[in-house]
Amino acid sequence: MSHPTPRANDLFEQTLLSTWLDEADVGICVLDDTARVVMLNAAGARMMNIEALNVLNMPVTRLTEKIDADVTLAQWLGSPGQDGERTVRRAGAEGAVHLLLKTRGVKNPAGERFKVIAINNITATLQAQQALDFMKRQWEALNAGVVISDARAPDMPIIYVNPMFERMSGYSAAEIMGRNCRFLQGTDRHQPALDTIRQAIHDETNGHAILRNYRKDGSMFLNELFVSPVRDAAGVVTHFVGVQHPRGSAAALDRAP
Ligand SMILES: Cc1cc2nc3c(=O)[nH]c(=O)nc-3n(C[C@H](O)[C@H](O)[C@H](O)COP(=O)(O)O)c2cc1C
């Protein structure tokens, strides 16, 4: 069997590399030391909403022309030797597209300088983060306790509590993260109402009960608890959310820290 020559190997590696670059989900653009575009892969062209062929050998300003008016961006990309990152935005057919650009200066064996720009579309991540932040703000504003437990982890540990839950129970979030909510019952474990909650968790349905619970200072309060399963897109229960309303005597409520 004949072995490929080193030259053939080089060509093969180049083909592999360019195939990979065109299949990659991350946009890659390379600028030379005069800030001209020497390479832009398919993902990069898609993310910048331009034709790769139209920008090849063109100044970097052609690359950034669809990005929302940011005159300093092309300067930043074109300036030599700057590693860093920036988030930019361009208008898309279905709303703003957010891109994270990371730059890295490199030299080839001949000592020529290039700048590699990695482009990531972070629109979905950003939107998910914003939706989550909004949801958290709603839970924080709520005049009821909110607890989220991880249904996939052993014994359903708490992964989130809102500030109202901290006030109701007297425990800080840090003190109760990772524990099961039953600690609020203290030694008062023989409560028939608990069966309703156990059954709801077992059946993965909504449950409702009024329980005797104990604050950190040992004082009792009546806790009207609603638990509900949270399902992922495939319908699998991944979490349970619990909403708690302190009930009972005004004195019990007044003692809430
Ligand atoms: C999301 C969620 C929130 C809960 N919140 C409380 C609570 O505030 N107080 C309480 O006594 N039990 C609460 N529970 C119930 C206990 O965690 C536990 O399911 C109950 O004690 C029955 O299970 P056990 O017999 O293993 O203790 C909650 C459960 C879940 C899933």
Side-chain angles (χ1 to χ4, degrees):
M1 197 178 91
S2 68
H3 291 284
T5 61
R7 174 100 189 98
N9 258 338
D10 284 355
L11 281 175
F12 179 61
E13 276 176 16
Q14 273 177 25
T15 313
L16 272 185
L17 185 63
S18 65
T19 308
W20 175 78
L21 279 173
D22 268 337
E23 293 299 321
D25 285 336
V26 59
I28 301 284
C29 176
V30 182
L31 307 179
D32 67 12
D33 62 352
T34 64
R36 280 175 189 274
V37 178
V38 293
M39 200 281 284
L40 177 66
N41 73 345
R46 216 170 36 243
M47 289 181 205
M48 300 302 250
N49 194 23
I50 46 181
E51 287 287 334
L53 284 178
N54 291 348
V55 294
L56 272 189
N57 297 318
M58 294 292 172
V60 65
T61 43
R62 288 291 288 275
L63 180 78
T64 58
E65 60 191 10
K66 297 268 176 67
I67 301 295
D68 284 357
D70 181 352
V71 278
T72 61
L73 177 65
Q75 284 170 6
W76 173 69
L77 288 174
S79 57
Q82 273 187 19
D83 292 351
E85 58 180 68
R86 247 184 218 205
T87 306
V88 297
R89 214 175 63 146
R90 70 167 173 77
E94 285 159 21
V97 176
H98 298 268
L99 303 172
L100 175 67
L101 309 183
K102 288 186 183 176
T103 64
R104 174 67 63 89
V106 291
K107 272 191 206 168
N108 69 6
E112 294 166 318
R113 288 174 184 282
F114 293 88
K115 180 171 274 190
V116 180
I117 308 166
I119 311 161
N120 271 292
N121 188 338
I122 55 166
T123 313
T125 317
L126 220 61
Q127 282 168 349
Q129 188 60 51
Q130 281 166 356
L132 197 67
D133 286 350
F134 180 56
M135 213 174 332
K136 270 192 164 176
R137 283 203 300 278
Q138 293 178 43
W139 291 336
E140 279 165 18
L142 213 62
N143 196 21
V146 176
V147 173
I148 300 189
S149 300
D150 187 345
R152 293 161 304 182
D155 207 27
M156 287 204 193
I158 298 173
I159 59 159
Y160 173 80
V161 297
N162 76 343
M164 179 60 181
F165 183 88
E166 294 179 289
R167 285 197 295 277
M168 267 172 58
S169 68
Y171 291 95
S172 72
E175 284 175 302
I176 51 186
M177 256 341 110
R179 297 173 72 177
N180 181 289
C181 273
R182 77 172 69 80
F183 78 90
L184 283 173
Q185 299 150 23
T187 53
D188 192 357
R189 294 274 293 142
H190 299 290
Q191 303 187 37
L194 276 175
D195 286 340
T196 320
I197 300 297
R198 278 188 203 110
Q199 195 64 45
I201 293 173
H202 178 266
D203 297 347
E204 301 186 331
T205 61
N206 294 334
H208 168 226
I210 299 182
L211 301 171
R212 286 186 301 277
N213 276 179
Y214 297 84
R215 299 189 186 87
K216 190 177 175 182
D217 67 7
S219 58
M220 195 273 280
F221 67 104
L222 293 180
N223 182 358
E224 182 167 13
L225 171 67
F226 298 83
V227 292
S228 303
V230 181
R231 296 174 191 277
D232 66 11
V236 175
V237 174
T238 58
H239 297 83
F240 269 89
V241 58
V243 176
Q244 290 96 351
H245 295 274
R247 295 281 183 241
S249 69
L253 292 182
D254 289 346
R255 281 202 302 275

